[in-house]
Amino acid sequence: MKKTLIAVLAVVISICIVIPCFAVPAISNENSGTHAAEKLLSQSGRVDGSYTVGDLNGDGRVGDWDAIMLARYLAGWDVTIANIKAADVNGDGEVNASDDILMARYLAGWDVKFVEPVSSSYSLFVSNEGNDETGDGTFENPYATLYRARDAVREALNSSKNYDGITVYIRGGSYYMNESLLITEEDSGNENCGITYRAYDNEKVSLTGAKEIKASDFTEADDEIKNRIRDESARSHILQYDLTENGFTYMTSPSDLSLYCNGSRMSLARYPNANAEDGGFLRISGSRYDADTKLTSWLDTSGVVKSWQAYSDIMVYGYFQYDWASSEAKFDSYDPEEGRVYLRDCGTISEDENTYVGRYYYSNVLEELDCEGEYYIDPDTDILYIYAYENMDSISLTCSQLYDSLLNVQNADYYTFDGITFEGNLGNGIEVKDSDYFTLQNCEILNIREKGIVITGCNNIIYGNHIHHIGGIGIQMVMDYNKMVPQNGLICNNDIHDYAEIAGAYNPGIHCYGTDLTICHNEIHDSRAQAILPGGNDLVVEYNEIYAVCKESGDAGAIYTGGWNSSNDIFRYNYIHDIC
C-alpha cells in the first residue's frame, strides 16, 4: 500500500510541475537534412559507447516526454523505455519516485543535476605478451588471443552477475588469425549489456590473416629462370623464395594467394602491364567456341604467346563480351600454326564465331615478370619469383593465408568493434549475419581479397572507418527481399577507396539493399567501379563526396540505381566530381 501511494504521489507531483511548461514536440520529417543520421546515432548511443541519463525515449535529449514516461512507468503503465539505466537520474542504482521528483525539478528549471549511475561493467585484456593458459584476462595478466577472450566473454554472460557492459581491450600489436573470430548466438549481448572489442588507449592493433615474408630470405633466381624473361633488362632483378619450405600453403592454385608490399597489393606478372596502352588490355579478335571440346579460342594478335615456354596456371582476365561483366578463364593450350589461344572454363556462350569482341590480359606469366610490384608462382615447385624492389632491405612483404573472414558474427546482437585494423585475408574481411545493433567504428579494413564488410540485420552502424585496397565490394549492407523490414541502418563518415581491385564490374564502394537505410558523409574515390549501388525503399543518400570512380567497367555511374523495386528514396547534397 505504501509503495502504491508513493507511485501515485510521484504522478501527481510530476503532472503539477511538468504540465505548465509542456509543449507539443515538433513533428519533423525523419528524412530531412541530416536528421536521419543524427537520429540513428542518438538512438543507438553506440558511437561513443554511452547513453544519455534522463533520455528515456531515446531521442537524444531530455524533455517533457521523458518525465511523463517515467511517471507512467512508476505507476505501472506498460511503457517502453529505450534504456532503463537512463531512468536512474539520481544514480542510486534504483528507479523510483526520487528519480521522478529530480527529473521534474530539472525540467522546471531548478538548480539540480543528474548523476551517472554506478557502472558494473566488466573488462578483459588481450596482449601479445599474454598467455591463454595461465592468464586471467586482467590488465596485469592478459590473454594472448581474441579466441580466449571471446570464451571469457561467454563465461561472463553465463555467470550470475548482471553486467552493464563487457569490454575486451586489445593491447597494441599484430595478431595473426589462423581462423575466423566466430561470435554466435551464445555470445550475444543485450540492450542492458553490450559487448565491445576496442584497441586499448588508441594503441595500433591489427588482426591479420597474412604472414610475413622476410626479404632477407630471397635468393637470386637460377639462370634458367632468368633467361625465360622476355625483357632482358629485367633478368638481373629476379629473386626467388621457396613458399613450401617457409610454411606457406594455398588451397587449389598459386593464383589464390595475395601478396602485399608495404600495404599495397602486388600483381601477378601480366601481359600487357597495367600501365600499357588501352588500359593494359588486348582486344579480342577471331573468337570461336568448340562444342565438342568446350573450349573458347581467339587469335594471339600480339604475337607474344609463342615466346612463352609453359602455359600451366596462366589465367586470362578482362571483359570478354560486355564492359559490365567481369570475365575470367584458364589458359588451355596454344596453336602456333594458327596463332590461336585456347581457353577453358570460359562460361557458356553461343557457337557463333566472334561472340567475344571485348578485352583481356594474361596473368601469372613468368616471361612477363618485368617490373616492380609483380610476382610469379611456379605451380610445380611452389617457388615465388619477384622483380626485386630497389629498397629490398626496408620493404615489408606479406602473404595472405586465411581463407575465411577475419571476423564472423552470426545471430549475435549488441556488438561494437572500435579502433581495430582488419587486414590480409583471402575471404571477406568482416561478415555479420542476422545480427542487430552491431557497430563498426574507427576501424581500418584493408588488403582483403573479396568484400570488405558484409552485414545483414537491423539497427547496424558502419561509422568512421577507413576501407581500402579491397578485392571486391567495400561495404555490403543488404536484406533478404522476402524479409523486408525497416533496417534502420547507417553507413556514415567512412573513407572508401581502391576497392574492386580484383573483380571490376558491379563491385561498388557501397552496396546497400533494404529499407530505411542512410548513407551519408562518406568519401568514396579511386576505383574502376561504381561508388554507390543502392536499392530498396526509404533510403537516404546524402552529403557524400565521390570522385575518380568508374575508371574501367562499363554501364556504371557514381551512384548507380534504378528498377521497379525501389520507392521513396532520397538522393541529395552529394558532391560528385572528376568521374573517369
Side-chain angles (χ1 to χ4, degrees), residues 7 11 75 98 101 103 126 134 138 164 171 195 207 231 299-300 302 325 346 387 506 513:
V11 174
S98 297
I101 294 170
M103 180 176 285
V126 177
T134 61
T138 60
D164 287 345
R171 298 302 306 272
I195 316 298
L207 309 186
D231 184 349
L299 296 173
D300 173 30
S302 66
C346 201
Y387 185 103
Y506 291 100
Y513 184 82

Side-chain angles (χ1 to χ4, degrees), residues 255-317:
S255 60
D256 290 344
L257 300 178
S258 290
L259 271 67
Y260 302 92
C261 177
N262 295 337
S264 294
R265 189 186 305 274
M266 297 177 66
S267 170
L268 285 163
R270 56 175 282 175
Y271 181 83
N273 286 334
N275 60 357
E277 293 182 1
D278 201 6
F281 290 97
L282 298 170
R283 292 289 168 173
I284 293 175
S285 176
S287 67
R288 298 177 188 165
Y289 176 72
D290 189 316
D292 294 329
T293 63
K294 294 182 171 55
L295 296 178
T296 296
S297 68
W298 55 62
L299 296 173
D300 173 30
T301 56
S302 66
V304 300
V305 177
K306 63 184 178 184
S307 67
W308 300 342
Q309 294 185 25
Y311 306 116
S312 60
D313 215 52
I314 291 178
M315 294 293 296
V316 185
Y317 298 101

Side-chain angles (χ1 to χ4, degrees), residues 6 9 40-41 73 75 135 151 156 190 199 216 239 243 255 313 324 375 388 430 442 452 485 494 514 533 554:
I6 291 174
L9 178 60
L40 284 168
L41 294 176
Y73 172 80
D151 295 343
N190 56 63
S216 58
L239 302 178
L243 290 171
S255 60
D313 215 52
W324 46 262
Y375 67 96
I430 296 173
N442 308 318
V485 297
N494 302 284
L533 182 61

Side-chain angles (χ1 to χ4, degrees), residues 214-225:
K214 294 182 179 179
S216 58
D217 289 342
F218 279 91
T219 59
E220 186 177 349
D222 299 335
D223 287 342
E224 180 182 355
I225 295 296

Side-chain angles (χ1 to χ4, degrees), residues 81-109:
I81 296 178
N83 191 324
I84 192 62
K85 290 180 289 185
D88 181 19
V89 295
N90 65 4
D92 64 356
E94 298 180 0
V95 179
N96 51 37
S98 297
D99 299 298
D100 194 24
I101 294 170
L102 181 60
M103 180 176 285
R105 289 174 175 174
Y106 172 82
L107 292 170

Side-chain angles (χ1 to χ4, degrees), residues 3-14:
K3 185 176 180 181
T4 304
L5 287 173
I6 291 174
V8 172
L9 178 60
V11 174
V12 173
I13 293 174
S14 176

Side-chain angles (χ1 to χ4, degrees), residues 435-495:
S435 300
D436 301 337
Y437 295 99
F438 176 89
T439 297
L440 185 77
Q441 63 188 35
N442 308 318
C443 293
E444 184 173 16
I445 298 91
L446 74 155
N447 295 341
I448 306 300
R449 184 174 179 89
E450 296 186 9
K451 301 172 185 177
I453 305 163
V454 181
I455 183 167
T456 63
C458 298
N459 299 291
N460 297 319
I461 294 176
I462 309 297
Y463 182 88
N465 303 287
H466 185 194
I467 302 163
H468 59 105
H469 292 96
I470 308 297
I473 295 170
I475 301 172
Q476 185 173 58
M477 182 179 285
V478 296
M479 177 167 283
D480 188 333
Y481 185 78
N482 295 316
K483 301 177 181 178
M484 293 291 271
V485 297
Q487 286 174 269
N488 200 35
L490 175 66
I491 302 173
C492 180
N493 200 33
N494 302 284
D495 183 6

